[in-house]
Amino acid sequence: MSSAFSLGFSWFKDSCRTLKLQPLAYTGIVVFSLLMSGLLSSLPLIGTLLASLWMPFASVLTGFAARDVLAGRTPVYFTLIAIFRDKASRWPLLAVGILASIWMELDMLVFQMMGQADLAQWKITAEGIDVESIAAHFPVGAFLTAFALYLPLLLMTLFAPLLIVQNRQSVIKSLFYSFFGTLRSLVPCLVWLAFVIFLTIESISIAAGGLMFFTFMAPILIALISAVCQAGIWVMFRDIFASSRPDGEMPTDLDSDQAPPANGI
């Protein structure tokens, strides 16, 4: 248990160190990926699908950016171009995105069907959403069921994009490795998560001390905490799946000071 705690704490320190080394450049890439997700998801009809298709590419972009920062390089956006140029990465990543989209649509359908009676009791007044009606008729059972159905998807896709690009695994193999690799390292992952939650609560508490500045500080805190979380995905992947790399080495084809190669990462 002590070794698991040490590993989780080490991941947390590396996550924060990524932000410390390149606070503007790395956070900028993370914010870019989040804004793209929000923009795509807001589109009518196909928004959910496009956001799901973007998710694997964003995961590799932020993951490789963290890799570059910890290696002493400046993170770049060229990684995204390299991924799209690389057919061996592009189509498997799109497949992961399609799977995530279908899974999420089915999950939301289950939530709506199970919580239909409660959701019908929610009220919208002239002032806006009636919070009391939501609290009184919150579909707890539907929410817990939807979360239970979402959790396997999260475990399967958390590291799958990096496994596809970095470790050159197939879609099925990457989903399998991501799922069971996360379960195998569940304790240190939870330790890392506990430190992230503690950091978030402390940051909010400090920012809330000056109420007049909280509105201004909230977006900045969200960006910084998101950067720590995205960096954490890379540092966990780096250690959990080190033995599954084809050559045992992290590829360094992408030089942060140069444009990406025409057919590789």
Side-chain angles (χ1 to χ4, degrees):
M1 182 62 71
S2 60
S3 60
F5 180 88
S6 300
L7 181 58
F9 183 59
S10 173
W11 288 344
F12 176 72
K13 288 194 299 183
D14 273 354
S15 302
C16 294
R17 188 162 67 91
T18 305
L19 187 61
K20 179 181 178 181
L21 291 173
Q22 291 284 353
L24 296 179
Y26 184 70
T27 303
I29 287 179
V30 172
V31 170
F32 166 76
S33 70
L34 294 176
L35 290 177
M36 283 295 297
S37 296
L39 176 63
L40 293 173
S41 62
S42 67
L43 297 176
L45 300 178
I46 60 172
T48 301
L49 173 61
L50 292 179
S52 297
L53 293 176
W54 164 250
M55 177 272 295
F57 294 91
S59 180
V60 178
L61 173 64
T62 56
F64 277 14
R67 177 193 70 176
D68 289 342
V69 171
L70 293 173
R73 300 190 294 269
T74 301
V76 295
Y77 295 85
F78 287 127
T79 306
L80 196 57
I81 301 175
I83 299 169
F84 276 105
R85 287 179 175 177
D86 182 23
K87 293 182 180 180
S89 299
R90 181 172 68 242
W91 297 114
L93 290 177
L94 289 174
V96 170
I98 292 173
L99 171 65
S101 177
I102 296 173
W103 194 301
M104 287 298 298
E105 289 293 337
L106 293 175
D107 197 10
M108 289 302 300
L109 181 61
V110 170
F111 174 77
Q112 292 173 2
M113 292 179 61
M114 292 187 62
Q116 185 175 7
D118 288 318
L119 294 174
Q121 301 298 321
W122 290 12
K123 299 178 181 178
I124 300 178
T125 63
E127 290 76 20
I129 298 176
D130 185 359
V131 178
E132 292 184 0
S133 68
I134 296 177
H137 301 282
F138 187 78
V140 177
F143 174 79
L144 293 177
T145 302
F147 180 77
L149 293 174
Y150 170 73
L151 194 56
L153 176 66
L154 175 63
L155 298 182
M156 286 191 297
T157 58
L158 185 61
F159 300 112
L162 287 169
L163 286 167
I164 289 171
V165 179
Q166 175 91 8
N167 293 18
R168 292 303 182 185
Q169 292 186 358
S170 65
V171 174
I172 300 300
K173 187 175 181 180
S174 67
L175 295 171
F176 178 87
Y177 268 60
S178 179
F179 183 85
F180 288 101
T182 306
L183 289 181
R184 184 185 61 187
S185 304
L186 186 59
V187 175
C189 287
L190 291 177
V191 171
W192 172 85
L193 180 61
F195 278 107
V196 171
I197 293 174
F198 177 77
L199 174 65
T200 303
I201 294 174
E202 283 295 302
S203 301
I204 293 176
S205 299
I206 294 173
L211 294 178
M212 67 177 62
F213 299 108
F214 185 70
T215 303
F216 171 75
M217 290 296 297
I220 298 177
L221 288 178
I222 293 173
L224 295 178
I225 296 299
S226 297
V228 171
C229 291
Q230 292 298 324
I233 293 176
W234 166 258
V235 298
M236 287 188 285
F237 165 82
R238 176 195 62 192
D239 294 342
I240 295 174
F241 301 102
S243 62
S244 69
R245 296 191 183 101
D247 56 3
E249 298 287 343
M250 286 189 294
T252 55
D253 298 11
L254 181 60
D255 188 338
S256 61
D257 296 325
Q258 300 176 2
N263 58 352
I265 304 304

